Structures are given as C-alpha cells and as structure tokens.
Amino acid sequence: MNEVTRRDASREPAKREEREESLVPAVDIFEQSNALHVIADMPGVTRESLSIEVDDNILTLEGEVRLNMPEGLSAIYAEVRAQRFMRRFTLSHEIEADAIEARIENGVVHLVLPKKETHRRRRIDVKAA
C-alpha cells in the first residue's frame, strides 16, 4: 500500500502556542489505484470555518469551532470553548497537488488526492505469440 505522505507533519514538534491551542483531528486514509482518500474528523467545523491549503508539498487542514455567547448573558463559568483543529501532512511525490478535491459533511472532511498518471497502477495485457 502506498502512503499519502512521507510523514505526518503534524506529529513533528510545533511552536508551543500551536500545540496548546490546536486539536489534532483523527484521520483515516484509504487507497484506490488512481487516488488516495483522506477522511478527517473535525466535529463542529463548518465549510466557512475550514481551510485546506497546499504549500511547498505540505497539506494543511485547519478548522475552528466557534461558540456564540447567548445574547444578554455573561459567563460565570464556562468549560465549553471554541476549538481549533489542525493537521499537516507532507505529500508524497506521487500526489497531484493541484487536483485535490475536498468536501465537508457534518464535521467530517473528505479529501480526494489524485495520483499522478505516472504513479497509477495499471494492468498490462499479455498477448500470445
């Protein structure tokens, strides 16, 4: 099985404030012959608060859950707070970064990372002589 990434960049040491403020979303990765599928669990994140970028072969998923204070009320005690999710991956050379597709449904992010044509598995027909 090929890997989406050479390494999970979010597992590397990060700046102190980044570690303390961001949750690392759980991710599942599946492979097809022509693409990899990444499914990230980011509960409460909406399309408007989701950012997905590729910069220098680093894929970054970021999302924020914004909680609204009920109008006319002030907090005396609050355990529930806004959450920030972030996960980074270093993309393999086999991924076509310009063709990545994404969608979000109920806080679950679905990414399709197409493989470059030269890295796709294909069957070779054998002809009888």
Side-chain angles (χ1 to χ4, degrees), residues 114-126:
K115 294 180 184 178
K116 293 178 181 174
E117 189 69 36
T118 56
H119 288 83
R120 293 183 183 176
R121 188 179 342 175
R122 61 187 176 92
R123 183 166 178 82
I124 308 297
D125 290 328
V126 179

Side-chain angles (χ1 to χ4, degrees), residues 32-102:
Q32 281 183 302
S33 62
N34 63 346
L36 298 167
H37 296 260
V38 177
I39 300 172
D41 191 19
M42 300 172 81
V45 173
T46 64
R47 183 171 86 52
E48 295 77 25
S49 64
L50 178 64
S51 172
I52 302 172
E53 296 180 353
V54 176
D55 183 22
D56 197 24
N57 254 16
I58 303 290
L59 172 67
T60 302
L61 305 174
E62 286 186 273
E64 187 174 354
V65 179
R66 296 182 184 110
L67 301 177
N68 297 320
M69 175 69 74
E71 193 170 321
L73 300 179
S74 59
I76 295 173
Y77 180 80
E79 289 184 334
V80 179
R81 61 184 179 90
Q83 294 292 328
R84 181 173 177 236
F85 293 92
M86 184 172 65
R87 185 101 182 230
R88 287 189 176 128
F89 297 95
T90 302
L91 295 177
S92 165
H93 64 280
E94 69 187 55
I95 300 300
E96 188 68 58
D98 293 336
I100 294 173
E101 296 176 7

Side-chain angles (χ1 to χ4, degrees), residues 7 14-15 18 37 63 73 78 90 105 110:
R7 67 181 186 278
K15 294 183 230 169
E18 197 173 88
H37 296 260
L73 300 179
T90 302
E105 183 177 351
H110 299 261

